[in-house]
Every structure is written in structure tokens, then in C-alpha cells.
Amino acid sequence: MASEEELRRYLKKAAVELKETQRRLDELEARAVEPIAITGMSCRFPGGVQTPEQFWEVLEDGRDLFGPLPTDRSWHHWLGLNGGSYVDEGTFLYDAYDFDAKFFGIPPIEARVMDPQHRILLEIAWEAIERSRIDPESLRGSSTGLYLGMSTQSYEWVGFNKHWIGVEGYLMTGSAVAVAAGRISYTLGLEGPALMVDTSCSSSLTAIHQACAALRSGEVSMALAGGIMVMSLPLWFVAFSRLRALAQNGRPKPFAAAADGTGWGEGAGMIMLERLSDARRNGHPVLAVIRGSAANQDGASNGLTAPSGRAQQKVIRQALNNANVISAEVDVVEAHGTGTVLGDPIEAQAVLSTYGKDRPAGKPLWLGSVKSNLGHTQAAAGVAGVIKMVQAMRHDTVPPTLGVDAPTPHVDWEAGDVRLPTTKQPWPRDGHPRRAGVSSFGFSGTNLHVIVEEAPELASLQLSRDAEMPLPLVISGKSEDALRAQAGKLLEWLTAAPELDLRDVSFSLATTRTALDHRAAVAAANRDEALAGLAALAAGATTPAVHSGRAGKRDDAPEVDLSDPVAAAIAWTGGAEVVWTVVYAGRTVRTVDLPTYAFQRRRFFINPDVENASAAAELGSDDSQLEEKFRVLFHLDADGSSLPQP
């Protein structure tokens, strides 16, 4: 029989184990509902929009980005089929085939065979990481995951097959949807899951939903999520023209009496995600948080592609429950809102039934759709809505929805307090954080709803600034041209933001940007000298304040004096390894936003209007002959760079 002492020891041990078990359960429960921080965003949208800031300017100004069909994709071969398209406008990435292949180590021949969607995803993934104030190279070997929405756009059919002779291996990987995320993981060395999602119109929001679940489960430490749409062929225009489902002028008019169909668009968006506690601990910016999300299916509705109002109401309620938020505390819904006569009334009624009831007096729900600006960007539509809402919260403004002559008469607008923002509206904080719901309802029947909330406020950090001189500005690029372009971007950035402290800029350049081969360091005693040094570097001029070099060019690495930041920076330009955390130790510095990498893009595209069938037919097994034929076929000069297209 156990003694009293043994029993006491057993009970004490059991109590400790029970306490530890309870702690772990509490951690798991907290993680399961923890908000997911959006730490960085990147995008490509029509109208030359390259950044979320440029995107916000379009939204706030109430502009649309519609333009004529591309003339350089040989679409006339396809528009002549089945009556073609009665719409000759949409929103297009006219530079979709421009790509910095050299930066990512991709041969020109392979770059031409790659679907342009793969290429753009590579660039915006890099930018989203940089905008999170993270050196992309520092993620190599990490459990960072990729969750991307995309559908095949048959780029391999652009050349009617005859241009692909001899490059079938590249074509296989270049056109496969499954490879798009894997290529990013391969390039950056990411070891978390790399998943491609195709639920049609809801693809990117499905990807974001999956990324949040993986973060909360602990499967990944960080995640990139988003989506893309570049139409290599105009088949959607032809198909929807046959169905008479396109707006006559190509422009969607969400929830409007004048709505007469949807309109197609292109675009891409990416967001960097991290558990909120991790983002705070790691010192990463928090632009907004995803409080909750939900997904479901229409099931056996009244048609394979017809929306289900019942399913839409259900997914909204599930998302609110997942976020632990009541509907009255959500201010805006960024709708699916495609401008169709059938879909919009069903969605509006679902929003009225869920968000429109029991609202505080004088606080209607605003219901808008970015498709009035961008058209329907399909697999990129959901992430475009998320970026729009994050920017709207950060600017305290609900941007207008365009093309609304009057609310559609096919909806009982008296059933709840929901309004359409036909003009710019202020977005105050009414007793709770600003929140928005974002919807995407897939052509496939897969429905998503996400609750986005403004970033939690933190006490402002007051740094004690001393009178020391600014620290050196270190810059690098994949080539001399890229280095100069990077200096030019930084010069423009600092000129537009005089409030930035150059010591913070110096620290951020050194610790949140990848060190590439071509390097320079600008040493200056004050801001004016720093700007002058950047201007000289951008112009390719020499000055005592600018020190240039190339990593790996010297056999012996220069000695590094970590106690002298300028000396360390000069050694770094010559290829020395510098532990920047030691250089900046004890200094009052913090990371700040900086411009992303200055990609040096060239055009990579097969022109099926150029008759190279004879050259393709003659391709043989001799390597030198094959190389020459490739140069002819792919319009390359001797060193592999692109020649002007005929």
C-alpha cells in the first residue's frame, strides 16, 4: 500500500501535469481563433498599377481601368471563331509578357514558354515579402507556405503548337497550374506547402482561407496567398458573348438598375500572412488582420452555375461566427458583385438578410464591388477585394462603386439598412474597430466570405534620437542597370517621404533586403548629401560618397570593421559577409517601409503571326544547330537577350 508521502508526490506530479496540459489546451484554443496579420501586400492591376498605393489612388478617385482588347496577343485568330465577341473592351495587363527572367535565373527560352501568370506570381511574391520588411533570402528553408488561386489560360495554344517544337519539357512545366506555386518555393527555398487552387471566381479567397487555417494549425510559420488572371486567349469573351452574358459596353454595373452583364479583367494580388502574435514579436508591420473566414458549396441549387442565396447567407454567418463578431459591427461588405442580372439580386438579398438587420440607427452597411473599377478578374477577384478593404481602412474612406444609376429594382432594399456607396464615404470608427466582409462566389459553386479588421492599435514608439551622423545606405541589384534603377527608386521614395529618418532607412536596407551581386554604399553626413549620392548612383556618375563593388569578384574577402558602419558597408560592396545586427547593435533604429526591387523586365512572348514554321520543322539534334534555330524562332540575339519583335 502506498505511503502518505508517495501519495503526496503522486498528487503533486499529477497537478503539475494537469496544469501543463491545461496550458497547452489554452494555447491551442487561442491559436485556433487568433487573428491572422496581413504584413505585406503586392499587386499588378491594369492602368500601370504596380503597388497597393497606386491601386488606392484609382479607387479613391473613382476611376475605372477599362481599355481596348490587346493588339499584341494575336487574338484575331480566335475572335474570328463562333461569331467572336460583341465586346471590345476590358481591363488588361498590357505589359503582362514583360518579365525579369535574369533576376530569377530563368533562361530566355524557358521564360518565353512559361505562362505569364507564373512570371508575374514570382515577382509579386518577392515584393510581398519585401513589403513585410523581410529579406526574401532569409526565408530559405523555412516552413513558409504558398496558397495561390489560378486557372489555366491555355498559353500553350497561343502559337497554334508550331512554335513549341523542341521545347516540350519547358512547355510542360511552364503551362502547368500545379507548378506555379512550386516554382516560387523552388526559387526562394520555401519548404511549407505550395498549393494551387482553382475554384474559378473564388480561387484567391479560397487560397487565403486555406492559408489562415494552416497558420492557425501551426502547419506553416508564414504564408503567401493570392491569385492571378492573365488571359492568353480571348475564349471567355467568345463564350460569354455566345451566352449574351457580357455588359454591352464591357463594364460591370454592380447592383445597379442598369446592370446588363459582367466584364472581364486581368490582375494579380498577393498578401503575406502571419499569426498576429508572431508578427508583433518579429517586428513585422501589421496592415490589417483577418478575424475569420468560411467556405461552403451551393450544393444542389437551381443550376450548376447558378448562385444560391441560401448558401451565401450560410457562409456569411459561418464567417461571422468564426470571427466571433456580430453583423452589426461590420461596416462594409466588398461584394462578389459581378453586374449580372441574376447574380447581383441574389447576393444583395443575402447581404440584406445577414448584415442589413438590426443595425444601429444611422449606421447602414455599405455594399460595394471593385469589379466596377477592374472588371471581373476571376481568380484574382477575391484578393483584389481584400487589398481594397485594407487600403480603405488605412485611409478611413469607403471608395465609390461606379456605374450605379440607381439600385436594382429586383431587390427589396427596404428589407434592411444596406446602401450602395456611389460617392466616396467617410469611414469612422463607431465604437468598434473598422471591419469589412469580403465575398467571392465561384462559378464552381464554391463560396467564400472573409472578415477583415483594421490593425490593432499599439502605443506609439518614441525613439530617442541622438546627434550621430546618418548611417550608410547600402543598395544592391542583379545587374548594373538594376543597381542604378534601385538607387533611382529609393531616391524618389525618400524625396516623397521627408519624415523618414535616414538611420531607419539605413538599418532597413541592410537587414530587410537581399544582398545581390552588384552593390553600392552611399555615405553622407546629412540628408541632402544622401539624396545627392543616390542621384549620382542612379545616373551612373562617380562621387566620393558612393562606393561600388561586386560580390565574389575578389579572391580574398576584405576585412570588416563591425564597429564602423561606413567601413563595414564599403567592405560589403566588395563581397564581405557582414553581420548587420552587430553593426547596428545599441543604435536607436527600427525597420521602415522601402521601395521593392526594381525589376528589369524584357518582353518574352511567342508571336504566332511570324511565320517560323520552316525553322521549327528543321530543328535537329545537333546542339549548335538547335541553339541557332532557337535564336531565330524565339527572336533572341547571340547572348540570349530579346530582340525587338517584328
Side-chain angles (χ1 to χ4, degrees):
M1 185 172 179
S3 67
E4 184 176 335
E5 183 61 29
E6 288 174 328
L7 182 61
R8 186 179 294 109
R9 284 199 302 270
Y10 172 78
L11 291 174
K12 185 180 293 185
K13 180 182 178 182
V16 170
E17 290 177 347
L18 182 62
K19 187 175 182 180
E20 176 62 17
T21 299
Q22 184 62 52
R23 184 189 65 80
R24 291 180 180 178
L25 286 173
D26 290 344
E27 285 182 356
L28 288 173
E29 289 180 2
R31 176 177 283 183
V33 297
E34 182 177 9
I36 301 300
I38 300 174
T39 60
M41 304 189 298
S42 59
C43 64
R44 294 283 187 278
F45 291 123
V49 171
Q50 302 278 315
T51 66
E53 291 77 20
Q54 292 174 344
F55 186 38
W56 175 249
E57 291 175 6
V58 169
L59 297 171
E60 188 177 32
D61 294 346
R63 289 185 275 133
D64 74 47
L65 300 175
F66 287 82
L69 301 182
T71 59
D72 59 353
R73 301 186 191 179
S74 302
W75 279 13
H76 61 275
H77 291 291
W78 300 90
L79 290 172
L81 302 174
N82 300 320
S85 171
Y86 61 79
V87 170
D88 59 3
E89 283 200 336
T91 64
F92 302 100
L93 299 175
Y94 294 117
D95 59 354
Y97 296 95
D98 297 345
F99 176 54
D100 192 342
K102 184 177 182 179
F103 180 84
F104 294 103
I106 297 173
I109 290 172
E110 183 178 6
R112 285 180 177 274
V113 177
M114 286 170 59
D115 186 322
Q117 296 183 116
H118 290 219
R119 312 174 197 170
I120 293 172
L121 286 172
L122 274 169
E123 292 188 355
I124 65 173
W126 186 275
E127 290 176 347
I129 297 170
E130 285 194 331
R131 291 178 71 96
S132 297
R133 303 180 195 170
I134 299 172
D135 173 0
E137 274 296 312
S138 70
L139 297 182
R140 192 167 295 277
S142 72
S143 61
T144 302
L146 277 153
Y147 302 83
L148 304 177
M150 176 180 146
S151 62
T152 180
Q153 290 300 302
S154 302
Y155 178 63
E156 67 271 25
W157 283 95
V158 169
F160 296 94
N161 293 331
K162 67 184 178 183
H163 293 289
W164 305 128
I165 299 172
V167 292
E168 290 83 359
Y170 287 145
L171 182 62
M172 181 176 64
T173 55
S175 61
V177 172
V179 173
R183 190 187 295 274
I184 297 172
S185 292
Y186 168 76
T187 302
L188 301 180
L190 310 180
E191 297 181 3
L195 307 182
M196 297 304 299
V197 175
D198 186 1
T199 58
S200 190
C201 319
S202 59
S203 295
S204 58
L205 218 55
T206 303
I208 291 170
H209 173 68
Q210 290 183 324
C212 290
L215 283 162
R216 291 193 175 106
S217 72
E219 183 178 21
V220 298
S221 55
M222 286 182 275
L224 285 162
I228 188 166
M229 171 54 66
V230 175
M231 293 175 281
S232 291
L233 299 176
L235 300 184
W236 283 104
F237 282 90
V238 175
F240 270 64
S241 289
R242 289 290 296 275
L243 296 171
R244 310 302 297 178
L246 294 176
Q248 286 295 320
N249 64 353
R251 290 166 166 78
K253 307 162 189 69
F255 308 108
D260 59 347
T262 195
W264 297 130
E266 297 180 335
M270 190 91 71
I271 59 176
M272 189 76 173
L273 299 170
E274 195 173 5
R275 289 183 291 272
L276 179 60
S277 58
D278 290 343
R280 292 299 195 204
R281 183 173 59 255
N282 295 330
H284 299 152
V286 178
L287 308 179
V289 298
I290 295 177
R291 279 291 301 266
S293 60
N296 72 4
Q297 241 288 335
D298 286 343
S301 61
N302 63 340
L304 174 63
T305 61
S308 166
R310 181 186 62 83
Q312 291 178 15
Q313 292 181 42
K314 187 176 180 180
V315 79
I316 289 171
R317 293 192 176 103
Q318 287 173 330
L320 287 167
N321 183 63
N322 181 257
N324 195 25
V325 167
I326 62 173
S327 62
E329 293 182 345
V330 175
D331 313 303
V332 181
V333 165
E334 172 59 24
H336 186 57
T338 59
T340 60
V341 178
L342 173 65
D344 279 11
I346 291 174
E347 181 175 9
Q349 209 64 58
V351 171
L352 282 159
S353 298
T354 50
Y355 284 110
K357 307 289 188 181
D358 304 319
R359 297 200 66 81
K363 297 179 181 179
L365 178 100
W366 294 105
L367 178 66
S369 174
V370 74
K371 293 177 181 66
S372 66
N373 310 88
L374 286 181
H376 191 350
T377 54
Q378 301 161 78
V383 71
V386 170
I387 295 173
K388 171 186 173 179
M389 286 295 96
V390 172
Q391 291 293 75
M393 291 174 185
R394 290 166 64 81
H395 291 86
D396 312 330
T397 301
V398 180
T401 294
L402 313 181
V404 180
D405 56 336
T408 174
H410 303 298
V411 171
D412 179 12
W413 294 101
E414 299 301 318
D417 196 359
V418 174
R419 298 182 193 175
L420 306 178
T422 55
T423 59
K424 187 167 59 175
Q425 301 293 326
W427 192 349
R429 210 178 271 118
D430 289 327
H432 59 80
R434 297 182 185 90
R435 295 192 186 98
V438 181
S439 292
S440 268
F441 305 135
F443 174 72
S444 63
T446 300
N447 306 308
L448 270 294
H449 194 70
V450 172
I451 307 297
V452 182
E453 181 178 289
E454 67 179 333
E457 287 189 321
L458 288 178
S460 59
L461 179 63
Q462 299 295 326
L463 295 182
S464 175
R465 297 301 196 183
D466 53 36
E468 66 176 322
M469 290 192 309
L471 299 163
L473 307 181
V474 295
I475 307 167
S476 69
K478 199 74 171 180
S479 65
E480 286 290 345
D481 288 343
L483 177 63
R484 289 194 293 270
Q486 198 67 40
K489 283 188 76 170
L490 183 58
L491 174 64
E492 184 179 349
W493 185 275
L494 294 180
T495 301
E499 72 280 3
L500 285 177
D501 191 290
L502 288 186
R503 283 158 289 195
D504 295 337
V505 174
S506 171
F507 178 65
S508 302
L509 286 169
T511 59
T512 71
R513 293 298 183 261
T514 296
L516 301 169
D517 292 344
H518 296 265
R519 303 179 179 184
V522 176
N526 53 54
R527 185 183 183 85
D528 289 341
E529 288 185 13
L531 297 181
L534 288 172
L537 179 58
T542 58
T543 169
V546 178
H547 305 270
S548 300
R550 185 171 181 181
K553 198 170 183 180
R554 300 180 183 177
D555 294 331
D556 55 331
E559 189 175 339
V560 181
D561 180 1
L562 296 179
S563 66
D564 184 342
V566 173
I570 294 172
W572 173 84
T573 64
E577 293 290 334
V578 175
V579 183
W580 292 109
T581 52
V582 175
V583 174
Y584 289 90
R587 300 179 186 274
T588 53
V589 289
R590 57 186 169 186
T591 59
V592 293
D593 291 335
L594 295 174
T596 54
Y597 185 75
F599 291 112
Q600 302 299 289
R601 301 183 180 95
R602 292 184 176 183
R603 185 171 174 78
F604 293 96
F605 181 60
I606 296 298
N607 188 345
D609 295 329
V610 178
E611 293 300 331
N612 284 312
S614 59
E618 293 171 5
L619 288 173
S621 59
D622 178 75
D623 289 344
S624 61
Q625 183 186 17
L626 187 63
E627 183 178 347
E628 176 60 26
K629 297 301 183 184
F630 274 146
R631 283 205 293 269
V632 173
L633 182 59
F634 293 99
H635 308 296
L636 304 176
D637 62 18
D639 67 0
S641 58
S642 299
L643 291 174
Q645 293 286 342

